[in-house]
Every structure is written in structure tokens, then in C-alpha cells.
Amino acid sequence: MSAFNVTSTHPATFLLVGIPGLEHLHIWISIPFCFAYTLALLGNCTLLFIIRTDAALHEPMYLFLAMLAAIDLVLSSTTLPKMLAIFWFRDREINFYACLVQMFFLHSFSIMESSVLLAMAFDRYVAICKPLYYTTILTRPLITKIGMAAVTRAVTLMTPLPFLLRRFHYCRGPEIAHCYCEHMAVVRLACGDTRFNNIYGIAVAMFIVVLDLLFVILSYIFILRAVLQLASQEARYKAFGTCVSHVGAILSTYTPVVISSVMHRVARRAAPHVHILLAIFYLLFPPMINPIIYGVKTKQIRDHVLSLFRRKNI
């Protein structure tokens, strides 16, 4: 195993602790994590397969859903395989540059997920508030541009982090008190002035969450106003029904973020494993639950899945 070299600018490898204080329970903790990861893989791959093969689903709403499923696959696969290796085989070692790559993908795709949820809110706004212009506004070129904008924003905001971390001298040892390479967990090992990293990390997180969530809320204010102006109750229920899946995806993504943020401020003296478990919950829960939400609530996807099962049974 590579040792921490105090004469180098950075260590050759880091050592991921896992969940501090719960090392003796790693095997048992890995069971629900492995189950959730398996569900995330199956659910999101199924969604992508259905949307890819069914021409009727090549509409803006489902194209955004495909983006969300692809992002969820990358998000969960960036961290869970290594996490399970720590729990099962005690494979704690991770190369310094592999750690930076993991961190970059983790935070970049988290930002992309927020961007796609915002795009889906815009999709629902156009569909309900401007239904006659839906196909002329949400064209394939515009959807492509929205997807590229989401990628560009995430990459632009996260590219500085690996370069900022490379310049530090890591004199506090190689052990990262986490299951994966999270930005602030790595910064805590660095010596010197880390204030810029701290401020930049908080500023980006606040900018993304607050700005995106604000526009999502504004979209739904306009949607609610438009729905309440519909003449019949049946039309209102139908309009609201098209938004249920998206609202569920928003809640599954942002609720863990809000809970984690509140816990960091209200329960500062809580055991470290509490905050780490919340962080893992944020990474695992949306990829696992989003395919279930859309599979249950979206008729076209539900019918397609049921038809696949019927074919197997014939």
C-alpha cells in the first residue's frame, strides 16, 4: 500500500474511512445500499430503454426524463461501487487524481440534475400555460441547447475545484473521513489558507440550489394560477396530474439537501456518521425513487412496462 509522503505536494493516495464510528457495521449497512443501487440501475436503465425504443415518447417531457435518468445513473455509479468495495473488501485506498475525478463528476452531475429539474419545470409551465405553443417553443434544437447549457454550467463551475485542490500541501494525513471524495472532506486535510475553497464551495451550492429552486417555484406559481382558471374540475385534475411526477422528483432531490443543510447548522455536535449518512441518502434516494415515481405516475411508461411483462409471460 502506498504511504503518505510528507515531502510531496500531495499524497499519492488517499484512504477513505467509510462511515466513521460505524466501521463495525459496514457489512450490514452495505445491504440496503447495494439494494438501492441495484434498484437505481434497473429503474433508470429501464426508463432509458423505454424512451429510446418507443417513438411516442420522443417528446420534450420524456427527453428531459431521459436526461435525468442518465444523470442519476452517473451520480450513483460515481460513488457506490467504491463505497461497496470499502464496506465489503476494506479497499479504502484511492489514487489522488482518481479522487479528484470522482469529486468532479459527483458535484458536476449534481448541478446537472438541478438544471434538468428546472428544465422540466419549464416544460410543465409551457405545456399548461401555453399549450398551443408547446411544440413550437420546445423544439428539438432548444432541448439540445438546454442540455448543453446544463453541462456547460456544471463543468464551468466545477472545473476550478481540482486545480484548487492540487495546489495544497496535505499535512493532516491521508485519511478522508467519508465514503467518497467530497470537496470539503478533502479540503479539511489541506494545510494553508483554504478560505477561498470554503467560500467558493458554499457560494456555488447556494447559487445552484437557491436560483434553480426559485425558478422552479415561480414556474409552479404560474402553473397553479393557470390551472385554477380552468373551467372544469376534471380539467384541473388532469393538468395537476401531469405535474405530480415532476413534483415528486423535485421533493426527492431537494428534501435531502435541505435536511442536510439544516442538520449542519442545528445539530453541529451530532456524530459525523449522521451527516455522512444524510449525504449518502442524497446520492442514493433520487436515483432509486425517480424511476418508480415516473413509472407509477406516468401512464405511457407504466403501460410500456406492463406490456414488456406480458410479452415475457406469453
Side-chain angles (χ1 to χ4, degrees):
M1 182 183 291
S2 300
F4 179 72
N5 186 356
V6 294
T7 63
S8 64
T9 304
H10 57 73
T13 59
F14 283 126
L15 297 175
L16 294 165
V17 171
I19 304 178
L22 298 180
E23 289 90 346
H24 61 292
L25 297 175
H26 275 176
I27 291 293
W28 296 105
I29 291 171
S30 70
I31 295 171
F33 287 176
C34 182
F35 178 72
Y37 181 50
T38 303
L39 278 182
L41 288 178
L42 289 174
N44 288 293
C45 286
T46 301
L47 272 182
L48 288 170
F49 173 76
I50 290 171
I51 294 169
R52 173 71 180 84
T53 56
D54 191 344
L57 298 181
H58 294 176
E59 297 177 5
M61 174 182 171
Y62 301 106
L63 294 177
F64 287 130
L65 179 56
M67 291 181 196
L68 186 65
I71 289 168
D72 281 342
L73 277 174
V74 175
L75 260 181
S76 54
S77 297
T78 298
T79 53
L80 259 296
K82 180 61 180 178
M83 201 182 300
L84 293 175
I86 296 169
F87 294 161
W88 291 342
F89 312 115
R90 297 183 181 179
D91 182 14
R92 300 167 57 205
E93 192 173 281
I94 184 169
N95 180 273
F96 177 80
Y97 292 103
C99 182
L100 296 186
V101 169
Q102 186 189 59
M103 183 195 67
F104 176 79
F105 272 83
L106 170 67
H107 294 304
S108 294
F109 277 83
S110 295
I111 294 172
M112 288 181 212
E113 183 169 50
S114 182
S115 302
V116 171
L117 288 172
L118 175 58
M120 294 171 85
F122 176 66
D123 169 79
R124 291 301 84 205
Y125 163 75
V126 176
I128 292 172
C129 298
K130 301 180 183 295
L132 297 177
Y133 301 98
Y134 183 71
T135 55
T136 55
I137 293 176
L138 282 168
T139 59
R140 284 288 183 90
L142 179 62
I143 293 168
T144 303
K145 288 176 184 176
I146 291 171
M148 292 303 296
V151 173
T152 302
R153 183 177 76 154
V155 170
T156 301
L157 289 173
M158 286 299 105
T159 295
L161 290 187
F163 295 100
L164 289 170
L165 290 172
R166 277 190 63 192
R167 67 188 177 91
F168 288 126
H169 179 68
Y170 293 87
C171 61
R172 295 195 175 105
E175 288 197 345
I176 300 174
H178 217 299
C179 298
Y180 53 84
C181 292
E182 192 267 336
H183 174 233
M184 291 311 301
V186 177
V187 169
R188 290 189 191 101
L189 302 180
C191 300
D193 189 357
T194 61
R195 283 178 297 176
F196 182 79
N197 283 70
N198 295 335
I199 293 168
Y200 186 80
I202 293 169
V204 169
M206 293 299 294
F207 170 74
I208 296 300
V209 174
V210 172
L211 189 67
D212 288 2
L213 203 51
L214 175 64
F215 281 115
V216 167
I217 291 169
L218 282 174
S219 296
Y220 273 96
I221 288 172
F222 289 121
I223 289 169
L224 184 62
R225 189 176 67 176
V227 169
L228 293 176
Q229 290 174 352
L230 294 173
S232 69
Q233 193 171 17
E234 184 182 350
R236 291 175 196 165
Y237 282 137
K238 187 176 179 181
F240 274 129
T242 64
C243 301
V244 169
S245 299
H246 181 243
V247 172
I250 290 170
L251 291 174
S252 74
T253 300
Y254 286 112
T255 301
V257 174
V258 173
I259 292 173
S260 181
S261 178
V262 170
M263 284 292 292
H264 272 290
R265 286 153 182 79
V266 175
R268 290 183 181 179
R269 295 183 182 179
H273 66 257
V274 173
H275 299 295
I276 291 173
L277 286 171
L278 279 172
I280 298 170
F281 181 72
Y282 162 69
L283 285 178
L284 264 182
F285 187 67
M288 178 188 71
I289 204 70
N290 285 343
I292 297 172
I293 292 171
Y294 279 95
V296 171
K297 290 294 182 182
T298 308
K299 186 178 182 300
Q300 293 92 327
I301 294 174
R302 186 173 65 246
D303 291 346
H304 199 114
V305 172
L306 291 173
S307 70
L308 288 175
F309 279 110
R310 289 194 197 103
R311 286 176 197 169
K312 288 182 179 180
N313 292 330
I314 293 175

